[in-house]
């Protein structure tokens, strides 16, 4: 589903990604962990070209992102993203947030978009807030709306960029619950997270990033109980 | 002191002052409407990734902001007709002056407001597959517009007062009328004070309207 080869990204002098290799299978849930500054968010943002890679190659569902004939907007309709800061549109209601892209990009009718949006809001357990504005919601509710908004485009892949890091601790669970449900339905997911419990329980594979490379990857059970790399051990000791 | 002035005499000149008020309002309203469109276009040019749009917008803004309105008026009324070989009516010239001048300042207001919208908004729009233009139109612009209101109000008031300089290009607005009256009847203090009250009435009503609009928009 996703093939990443020798992915490098630099910001001026700063080399953030130093050659990432990674293949992600359909329906796989990959959790990316690592200290801040290790490049995990940049890696994720390269996958939908919110950051343009400096060198290397990314293939998403058969489309090479470097191919100049590729329309990045088409790729992005297949790759949903959920942000740490939610980034809901504050001037639109919850329902309008979810309906906007299907109407403008997929060109579906307003009635169909509304029907679908309401169904998605139902799914993330927040249908009763459809007519509210984002500022009237709690952080957990906002993030669930953001997930519904991304799902409205019917993406094949979902990217999560630290989706629970901006939440009060008691609100983390409701967001993880929705993500877990999504994983069980077979969504291909790449999740940058500090929630080790989630990575362990839901992840099919864990990537540990350090200094712009994937230092270690493997089955969550193995990574968390028998890490091979010293750097992984050090990191896990600090946070667990 | 007050007794030495002939305030009641001002009433005799109300017809002229009414004409002046009409032109002041006409030029302010039409000029600012066009100025707002210019400001929106060149302001978006300033935040555009297109080098050409950016350069043109920057040159326009810098020239207008860097030169006095009075000289802009003289250029447009006296010099521009020689270049385009077409005589401009002073009222049309006046409207152009206010439009071009306010447009440059409004462009900077637009740029500031657009840049003040969190980066995540553009990213969220783009990540959903919207184009940059669609994101700008549906997501950034409506939010920016709201933030523009206070500085726009400020600029509207400045531009309304700038119309007073258009008397040099013979626009029959309030100051032009006052000068004619005062020159013939030696009542400059009375006339200009009256006219100042006219300006205050315009700017205070505008402030009031803006405050209502602001309050309306903040409700949700």
């Amino acid at each position: 589903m996703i093939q990443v080869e020798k992915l490098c990204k630099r910001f001026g002098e700063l080399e953030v990604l130093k050659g990432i290799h990674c293949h992600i299978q359909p329906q796989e849930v990959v959790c990316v962990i690592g200290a801040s500054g290790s490049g995990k968010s940049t890696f994720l943002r390269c996958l939908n070209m919110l950051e343009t890679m400096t060198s290397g190659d990314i293939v998403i569902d058969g489309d090479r992102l470097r191919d100049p004939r590729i329309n990045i907007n088409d790729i992005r309709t297949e790759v949903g993203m959920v942000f740490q800061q939610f980034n809901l549109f504050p001037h639109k209601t919850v329902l309008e947030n979810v309906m906007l892209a299907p109407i403008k990009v997929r060109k579906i009718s307003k009635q169909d978009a509304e029907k679908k949006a309401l169904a998605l809001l139902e799914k993330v357990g927040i249908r009763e807030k459809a007519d509210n504005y984002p500022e009237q919601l709690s952080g957990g509710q906002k993030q669930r709306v953001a997930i519904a908004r991304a799902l409205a485009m019917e993406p094949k892949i979902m990217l999560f960029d630290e989706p629970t890091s901006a939440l009060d601790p008691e609100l983390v669970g409701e967001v993880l619950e929705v993500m877990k449900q999504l994983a069980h339905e077979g969504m291909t997911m790449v999740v940058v997270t500090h929630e080790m419990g989630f990575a362990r329980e839901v992840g099919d594979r864990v990537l540990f990033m350090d200094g712009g490379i994937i230092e270690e990857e493997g089955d969550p059970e193995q990574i968390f109980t028998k890490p091979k790399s010293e750097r992984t051990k050090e990191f896990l000791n600090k946070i667990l | 002191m007050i007794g030495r002035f002939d305030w009641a005499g001002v009433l005799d000149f109300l017809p002229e002052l009414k004409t002046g008020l009409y032109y002041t309002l006409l030029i302010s309203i039409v000029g600012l409407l066009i100025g707002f469109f210019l400001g929106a276009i060149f302001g978006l040019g300033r935040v555009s990734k297109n080098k050409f749009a950016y350069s043109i917008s920057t040159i326009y803004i810098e020239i207008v902001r860097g030169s006095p309105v009075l000289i802009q008026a003289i250029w447009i009324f006296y010099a521009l007709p020689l270049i385009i070989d077409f005589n401009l009516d002073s009222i049309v010239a006046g409207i152009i002056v206010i439009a071009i001048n306010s447009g440059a300042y409004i462009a900077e207001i637009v740029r500031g407001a657009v840049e003040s919208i969190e980066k995540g908004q553009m990213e969220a729009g783009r990540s959903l597959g919207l184009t940059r233009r669609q994101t700008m139109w549906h997501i950034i612009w409506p939010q920016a517009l709201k933030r523009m209101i206070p500085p726009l109000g400020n600029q509207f008031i400045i531009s309304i007062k700038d119309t007073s300089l258009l008397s040099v290009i013979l626009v029959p607005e309030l100051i032009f009328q006052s000068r004619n009256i005062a020159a013939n009847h030696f009542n400059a203090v009375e006339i200009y004070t009256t006219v100042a009250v006219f300006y205050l009435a315009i700017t205070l009503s505008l402030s009031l309207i803006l405050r209502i609009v602001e309050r309306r928009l903040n409700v949700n």
Side-chain angles (χ1 to χ4, degrees):
Chain A
M1 197 66 151
I2 305 175
Q3 281 108 38
V4 180
E5 306 283 353
K6 293 185 199 155
L7 171 64
C8 292
K9 171 68 185 175
R10 47 167 75 240
F11 293 103
E13 284 298 291
L14 186 69
E15 198 173 17
V16 181
L17 299 179
K18 302 173 184 169
I20 304 276
H21 293 266
C22 161
H23 288 212
I24 294 168
Q25 304 304 318
Q27 309 210 337
E28 199 179 9
V29 177
V30 174
C31 293
V32 185
I33 62 171
S36 50
S38 60
K40 50 194 196 308
S41 280
T42 306
F43 166 54
L44 195 74
R45 290 161 60 85
C46 282
L47 295 180
N48 68 348
M49 282 182 89
L50 281 184
E51 304 291 351
T52 47
M53 62 190 117
T54 308
S55 65
D57 215 354
I58 299 176
V59 179
I60 304 259
D61 200 23
D63 293 319
R64 283 188 68 218
L65 297 194
R66 291 195 85 90
D67 189 336
R69 287 165 304 180
I70 284 263
N71 180 351
I72 183 57
N73 297 317
D74 292 341
I75 305 274
R76 285 178 178 147
T77 61
E78 308 294 334
V79 184
M81 188 172 215
V82 174
F83 300 86
Q84 182 178 351
Q85 297 296 340
F86 329 125
N87 296 345
L88 293 180
F89 308 134
H91 60 299
K92 294 189 174 292
T93 63
V94 164
L95 187 64
E96 289 165 347
N97 263 273
V98 181
M99 285 166 61
L100 178 73
I103 293 173
K104 298 299 168 193
V105 182
R106 294 264 194 239
K107 312 282 183 204
I108 71 174
S109 74
K110 226 172 157 180
Q111 292 91 321
D112 289 349
E114 183 171 332
K115 223 160 82 191
K116 190 170 170 201
L118 286 171
L120 282 167
L121 289 172
E122 179 86 58
K123 178 173 168 171
V124 299
I126 202 164
R127 186 182 162 138
E128 74 281 4
K129 300 281 185 188
D131 294 322
N132 288 56
Y133 283 88
E135 65 177 4
Q136 299 165 308
L137 306 183
S138 72
Q141 293 172 326
K142 283 183 195 167
Q143 196 61 299
R144 285 185 282 148
V145 173
I147 292 172
R149 180 177 70 176
L151 289 176
M153 292 300 287
E154 299 180 351
K156 295 179 185 148
I157 300 166
M158 283 285 281
L159 309 176
F160 293 84
D161 190 2
E162 302 197 26
T164 57
S165 297
L167 298 178
D168 291 335
E170 75 271 21
L171 302 175
V172 168
E174 62 191 66
V175 173
L176 292 182
E177 205 48 51
V178 170
M179 291 168 63
K180 203 187 298 179
Q181 185 193 342
L182 209 53
H184 288 320
E185 288 168 10
M187 177 65 78
T188 309
M189 293 164 60
V190 186
V191 186
V192 171
T193 187
H194 292 294
E195 293 296 327
M196 299 304 151
F198 177 83
R200 202 161 172 169
E201 185 191 339
V202 184
D204 295 312
R205 188 149 52 108
V206 169
L207 309 183
F208 170 65
M209 283 188 66
D210 187 58
I213 57 164
I214 295 174
E215 172 74 19
E216 181 168 359
E217 65 175 297
D219 176 74
E221 223 31 60
Q222 177 255 308
I223 296 267
F224 287 114
T225 52
K226 296 188 285 289
K228 289 180 195 131
S229 149
E230 278 307 312
R231 300 286 301 138
T232 316
K233 271 181 213 162
E234 230 172 274
F235 174 74
L236 291 174
N237 276 337
K238 265 187 223 150
I239 58 157
L240 292 179
Chain B
M1 273 303 278
I2 231 73
R4 289 171 56 189
F5 295 113
D6 177 18
W7 295 105
V10 171
L11 291 174
D12 297 340
F13 305 104
L14 274 185
E16 285 92 332
L17 293 183
K18 241 172 91 184
T19 308
L21 182 64
Y22 169 75
Y23 285 111
T24 294
L25 284 175
L26 175 77
I27 289 176
S28 299
I29 292 169
V30 180
L32 281 169
L33 273 176
I34 302 172
F36 180 74
F37 279 106
L38 289 178
I41 291 165
F42 287 100
L44 291 176
R46 284 278 276 174
V47 293
S48 166
K49 289 199 165 155
N50 182 319
K51 284 241 163 60
F52 178 75
Y54 174 82
S55 311
I56 290 286
S57 307
T58 307
I59 291 169
Y60 161 60
I61 291 165
E62 291 302 336
I63 288 178
V64 172
R65 283 201 309 182
S67 57
V69 193
L70 192 69
I71 297 173
Q72 290 163 14
I74 289 168
W75 278 342
I76 287 167
F77 187 59
Y78 294 108
L80 186 65
L82 296 178
I83 299 167
I84 62 174
D85 200 23
F86 183 81
N87 262 338
L88 282 180
D89 175 60
S90 67
I91 291 154
V92 174
I95 289 171
I96 296 176
V97 172
I98 294 302
I100 288 184
N101 184 272
S102 67
Y105 288 96
I106 292 171
E108 281 298 89
I109 292 171
V110 168
R111 179 183 67 87
V114 166
E115 284 179 349
S116 78
I117 305 296
E118 299 68 23
K119 204 169 115 248
Q121 292 289 308
M122 176 58 82
E123 290 185 347
R126 297 307 306 276
S127 78
L128 288 165
L130 295 163
T131 63
R132 195 179 139 85
R133 186 170 299 187
Q134 283 175 319
T135 312
M136 212 42 156
W137 183 250
H138 295 291
I139 295 164
I140 308 293
W141 186 251
Q143 296 182 59
L145 205 55
K146 213 160 133 181
R147 293 192 192 174
M148 278 177 223
I149 290 169
L152 271 182
N154 207 17
Q155 182 56 43
F156 285 1
I157 286 172
I158 291 171
S159 290
I160 289 168
K161 292 188 295 176
D162 280 349
T163 60
S164 65
L165 294 163
L166 298 174
S167 57
V168 295
I169 59 167
L170 313 178
V171 176
E173 46 71 64
L174 278 171
I175 297 295
F176 180 90
Q177 303 289 351
S178 313
R179 188 177 299 157
N180 279 350
I181 299 164
N184 293 318
H185 301 88
F186 311 105
N187 53 355
V189 173
E190 293 90 329
I191 288 294
Y192 282 120
T193 305
T194 307
V195 164
V197 173
F198 281 32
Y199 278 107
L200 264 175
I202 302 172
T203 55
L204 288 177
S205 336
L206 181 62
S207 296
L208 193 69
I209 293 169
L210 284 167
R211 202 162 305 165
I212 293 168
V213 171
E214 259 174 75
R215 207 171 304 160
R216 278 273 168 81
L217 285 177
N218 279 337
V219 166
N220 58 48

